[in-house]
Amino acid sequence: MRNEESDTISADNINLNSTATLHRHEDTGPQDELTWKFWQKRRYILVFMAFLGFINVYALRVNLSVGIVAMTEVKNVTLENGTVVEQAEFDWDSKQQGLVLSSFFYGYIWTPVIGGIIASKIGGHYLFAMGIGVTALLTLLTPLAAGLDIYVLVAVRIIEGLFEGVTFPCIHAIFSRWAPIYERSRMASFAFAGSYVGTVIALPLSGVLAVSWGWESVFYFFGAVGCAWCIAWLIIIKASPEADPFISEEEKLYIIRSVGSSEKKKIKHPWKAILTSTAVWAIVSSHFAENWGFYTLMTQLPTFLKDSLGFDLGESGFLSGVPYLTMSCLLAVGGYLADWTQVKGYLTTRQVRRYFNCTAFLGQTIFMMLAAYLLHPAWSVVSISLAVGLGAFAICGYMVNPLDLAPNHASVIFGFSNTFATIPGIVSPLLTGFIVVNKSESEWQIVFYITAAIYLFGCTIYWIFCKGELQPWAQTFSLNQPIDSSKTSVKNPENTV
């Protein structure tokens, strides 16, 4: 199954900062044993804190999906004269609700590339904390903004999006310094699992908070938790292994041996090569497709469950979390399998990315169409859960792929990809608002069929154009890593990244 090409990569074409470990089995450098006791390894503590960080990223993002159901719910209100009338605290129609739900992404779309550039030059450590911390502070102000005017709320959500837009590119910059090559999939997938665990936690908990203490408590709670995480991150986590005073010498040497020293020269990004790379555009297409399905369900699932399937607010919150719980569980499996198949030599890097990504998309296409066709309280939830859950394997494809193509430019590539992948967050809620006017089953079916078609599109493009090897435009030589002259050529370069 391995590619038997005998292509040789000369030493002056190898970026020793990011691919110092060129031989899988014959490497005689420092080793570091894996352990389930994550607190004994600083890189695992980093991953765990990043996991908690992404819980906050998505909790701060999705709480409004449930909160808006409570904010616009029609209730019996007793007037001063004793008359009982049906009234909502915020009388927003479906189009206005779509505007509020999508407004976050109006800001989010502008900062991934900027965040990627800054993170690649200074590291993503402080920027990651700032992105989440400021969003948490603004979440605390959400009830005040909503009470003033819908457009004030929209403005606050836009600013939140501006700051959260840097978070995903930042983590790629952090992993380029902390993640050994053959631990990338599992470390990245575990950290990114926080996004879906955050959704699992936020959706049902938002329902409980809204029912028990009012919709305002949703934003106060998650805002406070986000601020607390930000303080903990800044105390515990350091920018690189060299900057961490608590890391063991063995672990530090092991990481540096694999990814190179973080004391890098000024990085110049090859923009023309990045923008014209078919492998980069394959990542963009998959990222767009996955986010279309994710954002559609993240923003609309509570409303769909309430309007079309008849669940109440509390039930909608809990059931909306089931698909993301499924995805969280499968991420751990997918990340381990992806690394395992590479280490054992069963699949090349390209094959891992392609097979995991495209198999997931095909499954998501099928289950999304089933959800649209069935529209049954039980089977629709099962189909949607599987459609979302299979995205865990896609993440082991397109989301890790920038680290394969160009480690030093991974944060910029992901930022570029995430910019396009933010478009679904803007368009999908608005489009759903225009389609689902009468809240009929046929209208929701159209929403799901569109999502299935976009999954299939992303699958096709990624299958054709994805790559797993270090790209020629990313192969630059640096003098800050010693050269072992006995290891200046590599067979099957696709498997060395």
Side-chain angles (χ1 to χ4, degrees):
M1 303 221 349
R2 286 176 177 264
N3 185 347
E4 296 298 332
E5 292 179 65
S6 59
D7 295 350
T8 299
I9 301 179
S10 60
D12 60 353
N13 283 333
I14 299 174
N15 184 337
L16 293 176
N17 282 324
S18 55
T19 57
T21 304
L22 298 177
H23 290 263
R24 181 177 294 119
H25 300 296
E26 60 268 28
D27 183 17
T28 58
Q31 299 297 314
D32 192 48
E33 294 182 0
L34 300 179
T35 175
W36 61 271
K37 299 178 180 179
F38 72 90
W39 56 88
Q40 296 181 355
K41 304 292 183 182
R42 295 298 291 177
R43 68 185 184 277
Y44 297 162
I45 294 175
L46 166 74
V47 171
F48 180 69
M49 288 299 296
F51 169 80
L52 296 179
F54 281 113
I55 287 179
N56 281 282
V57 166
Y58 269 76
L60 295 169
R61 191 181 302 189
V62 308
N63 52 24
L64 186 60
S65 299
V66 174
I68 201 169
V69 177
M71 295 163 73
T72 59
E73 186 177 26
V74 176
K75 300 179 180 178
N76 292 329
V77 178
T78 304
L79 302 179
E80 293 182 359
N81 60 8
T83 305
V84 178
V85 297
E86 290 187 339
Q87 184 177 322
E89 185 169 352
F90 297 93
D91 189 21
W92 299 332
D93 59 27
S94 63
K95 295 177 183 178
Q96 289 175 308
Q97 291 181 46
L99 172 64
V100 171
L101 290 171
S102 64
S103 59
F104 175 93
F105 301 99
Y106 296 159
Y108 189 87
I109 196 171
W110 295 105
T111 51
V113 173
I114 296 172
I117 293 172
I118 296 173
S120 71
K121 297 186 182 300
I122 68 171
H125 168 237
Y126 290 114
L127 203 57
F128 189 63
M130 184 182 72
I132 299 175
V134 175
T135 304
L137 287 172
L138 291 171
T139 298
L140 292 171
L141 299 176
T142 297
L144 175 63
L148 292 174
D149 187 79
I150 186 174
Y151 295 107
V152 176
L153 175 60
V154 167
V156 168
R157 293 289 291 180
I158 289 173
I159 299 171
E160 286 183 24
L162 284 169
F163 281 93
E164 266 208 16
V166 305
T167 52
F168 275 95
C170 280
I171 207 66
H172 277 74
I174 294 169
F175 282 152
S176 72
R177 298 182 176 193
W178 276 95
I181 290 174
Y182 291 106
E183 295 182 30
R184 283 175 182 168
S185 293
R186 74 192 78 171
M187 288 178 67
S189 62
F190 185 84
F192 295 143
S195 303
Y196 310 104
V197 173
T199 307
V200 170
I201 294 172
L203 288 173
L205 186 54
S206 294
V208 171
L209 291 170
V211 171
S212 302
W213 292 284
W215 62 266
E216 296 92 342
S217 66
V218 174
F219 304 102
Y220 294 142
F221 176 82
F222 289 109
V225 171
C227 290
W229 172 89
C230 183
I231 295 171
W233 170 272
L234 291 173
I235 293 173
I236 297 170
I237 303 302
K238 306 304 176 184
S240 66
E242 296 94 321
D244 194 328
F246 303 106
I247 192 171
S248 68
E249 194 66 20
E250 180 185 49
E251 183 181 7
K252 180 169 69 175
L253 290 175
Y254 170 70
I255 295 171
I256 293 173
R257 178 64 180 167
S258 181
V259 304
S261 172
S262 63
E263 298 175 358
K264 299 177 181 178
K265 292 185 175 182
K266 183 178 180 181
I267 297 173
K268 184 178 180 180
H269 301 296
W271 288 107
K272 182 178 179 181
I274 291 174
L275 295 176
T276 56
S277 170
T278 55
V280 170
W281 284 102
I283 293 171
V284 171
S285 66
S286 282
H287 201 168
F288 180 94
E290 180 63 26
N291 275 17
W292 184 282
F294 183 81
Y295 288 143
T296 297
L297 294 175
M298 184 183 74
T299 58
Q300 302 298 330
L301 191 53
T303 304
F304 165 72
L305 293 173
K306 180 176 181 293
D307 293 345
S308 188
L309 300 182
F311 293 106
D312 62 30
L313 178 60
E315 292 172 330
S316 296
F318 276 103
L319 290 173
S320 296
V322 172
Y324 305 103
L325 178 61
T326 305
M327 192 174 198
S328 302
C329 295
L330 290 178
L331 264 171
V333 176
Y336 176 80
L337 285 177
D339 281 340
W340 181 76
T341 54
Q342 283 184 272
V343 171
K344 291 294 185 180
Y346 298 142
L347 297 175
T348 65
T349 301
R350 183 182 184 185
Q351 288 170 334
V352 167
R353 305 300 177 227
R354 173 187 275 174
Y355 295 165
F356 276 63
N357 198 98
C358 295
T359 301
F361 275 12
L362 286 175
Q364 288 177 298
T365 301
I366 293 169
F367 285 111
M368 192 59 70
M369 293 183 70
L370 280 174
Y373 176 76
L374 295 171
L375 286 178
H376 180 275
W379 290 112
S380 287
V381 172
V382 170
S383 297
I384 291 170
S385 297
L386 291 172
V388 173
L390 287 171
F393 294 95
I395 285 174
C396 298
Y398 77 87
M399 195 168 277
V400 184
N401 206 186
L403 290 167
D404 304 319
L405 304 180
N408 280 344
H409 312 293
S411 61
V412 171
I413 293 172
F414 193 85
F416 174 70
S417 174
N418 207 24
T419 300
F420 282 88
T422 302
I423 295 173
I426 298 171
V427 176
S428 176
L430 292 175
L431 182 62
T432 302
F434 278 93
I435 293 173
V436 185
V437 176
N438 300 312
K439 303 178 181 179
S440 67
E441 291 186 355
S442 60
E443 290 172 339
W444 281 108
Q445 285 177 326
I446 294 172
V447 172
F448 289 140
Y449 285 140
I450 290 173
T451 303
I454 292 174
Y455 276 138
L456 189 59
F457 168 80
C459 174
T460 303
I461 299 299
Y462 196 80
W463 180 268
I464 296 171
F465 295 110
C466 82
K467 295 178 182 177
E469 65 272 18
L470 184 69
Q471 295 301 287
W473 43 266
Q475 296 171 359
T476 56
F477 176 68
S478 175
L479 294 175
N480 67 349
Q481 183 76 20
I483 301 173
D484 183 345
S485 60
S486 68
K487 298 180 181 180
T488 56
S489 65
V490 182
K491 290 186 178 182
N492 192 11
E494 182 177 276
N495 286 321
T496 67
V497 183

